[in-house]
Amino acid sequence: MFIIETVCVGWFSMEFLLRFVQAHSKLEFLRGPLNIIDVMAILPYYVSLVVGETPADENERPSGGKGYLDKLGLVLRVLRALRILYVMRLARHSLGLQTLGLTVRRSMREFGLLLLFLCVAVTLFSPLVHLAESELTGVHDFSSIPASYWWAIISMTTVGYGDMVPRSIPGQVVALSSILSGILIMAFPATSIFHMFSRSYQELKQEHDRLFKEECAAAAAATAGAEDEQDGGWVDFPPPRLVITPDTETPGSVEDLSVLGNGGETSGNNKHLLPAGAF
């Protein structure tokens, strides 16, 4: 696994450096969200190589440095966990992940409304279930109002782990109300988010189709240019046509021979008056 990870990180590092060198604006390149994710995914490997052997070398120190080593080991474990960000690199090649990211960025207001509705409902139903269970029936599952927040959250989001369950009839009535309210609250902003997702998908799809057509047109133009260079740059034109028209100004004896170009227009310099006997 270490060899596989080394090869992958080396490839990703080379690709990141090449894109950084080719970027027109280095600052805009480093500000890109996907580029930041790339750095966060690549950097832990090199940090682990540099710091990985330090705890083993310092184990012989007295207990004064033990706290430092524990903190350093925790930092290393966190950095190693960041390697899961390699999966986010698929967003460069996946239209679905790009649509998801664009939808989240455009729907921040809707997500804020969803969070606000949920917080208000949780603040409302947590004291009610605590009052119905602890004060009226004496059940100790809901020990405090802050502890009841967890139950309200998992109930309104229809998760329901079952670790905290109301057992009295008033508590079950409050639970039913919270579940129904949670379904409605989750449904209100979801419609707007769905329309935003559909619109973002159509825009990204059209953009990908446009870029594909431009690449095909550029490839066709390059192929045509290469064929013209192989032909030596010569262009075949159709031969000129000879059109004989009678001369109306000289009756009966002279005809006008006109040489016409490719467009079929008569050129004034190509008119020659010849006697009729020449034909």
Side-chain angles (χ1 to χ4, degrees), residues 238-245 256-268 270-271:
R241 294 175 297 172
L242 295 177
V243 179
I244 300 175
T245 58
D256 185 11
L257 177 62
S258 300
V259 180
L260 300 182
N262 294 328
E265 297 180 356
T266 304
S267 176
N270 294 329
K271 290 182 179 181

Side-chain angles (χ1 to χ4, degrees), residues 3-76:
I3 296 175
I4 294 176
E5 184 181 7
T6 302
V7 173
C8 294
V9 171
W11 179 267
F12 294 154
S13 302
M14 182 181 65
E15 185 251 352
F16 180 81
L17 291 176
L18 289 177
R19 288 192 294 108
F20 178 77
V21 170
Q22 294 295 327
H24 296 286
S25 176
K26 303 296 188 294
L27 185 60
E28 293 295 331
F29 178 83
L30 294 177
R31 287 180 178 178
L34 292 178
N35 298 325
I36 295 176
I37 292 175
D38 289 343
V39 173
M40 294 177 63
I42 295 173
L43 191 60
Y45 174 81
Y46 297 103
V47 175
S48 300
L49 289 181
V50 174
V51 192
E53 299 298 332
T54 303
D57 296 338
E58 295 183 355
N59 281 334
E60 298 178 358
R61 292 185 179 182
S63 59
K66 189 175 182 179
Y68 169 75
L69 294 179
D70 293 340
K71 294 180 181 179
L72 186 59
L74 178 61
V75 172
L76 287 178

Side-chain angles (χ1 to χ4, degrees), residues 68-99:
Y68 169 75
L69 294 179
D70 293 340
K71 294 180 181 179
L72 186 59
L74 178 61
V75 172
L76 287 178
R77 287 193 292 270
V78 172
L79 290 177
R80 287 168 183 168
L82 291 178
R83 296 173 184 174
I84 195 64
L85 294 176
Y86 287 143
V87 181
M88 298 301 297
R89 295 179 58 86
L90 294 176
R92 297 184 182 275
H93 312 286
S94 175
L95 181 62
L97 291 179
Q98 293 176 5
T99 306

Side-chain angles (χ1 to χ4, degrees), residues 84-143:
I84 195 64
L85 294 176
Y86 287 143
V87 181
M88 298 301 297
R89 295 179 58 86
L90 294 176
R92 297 184 182 275
H93 312 286
S94 175
L95 181 62
L97 291 179
Q98 293 176 5
T99 306
L100 179 61
L102 184 60
T103 303
V104 172
R105 187 176 62 182
R106 290 182 175 180
S107 303
M108 294 303 296
R109 181 177 299 178
E110 286 77 9
F111 283 113
L113 290 175
L114 178 61
L115 184 61
L116 176 63
F117 295 159
L118 186 62
C119 291
V120 170
V122 167
T123 307
L124 175 64
F125 287 106
S126 295
L128 292 179
V129 73
H130 174 71
L131 177 64
E133 289 294 310
S134 298
E135 301 296 335
L136 300 181
T137 61
V139 180
H140 298 289
D141 289 345
F142 301 87
S143 58

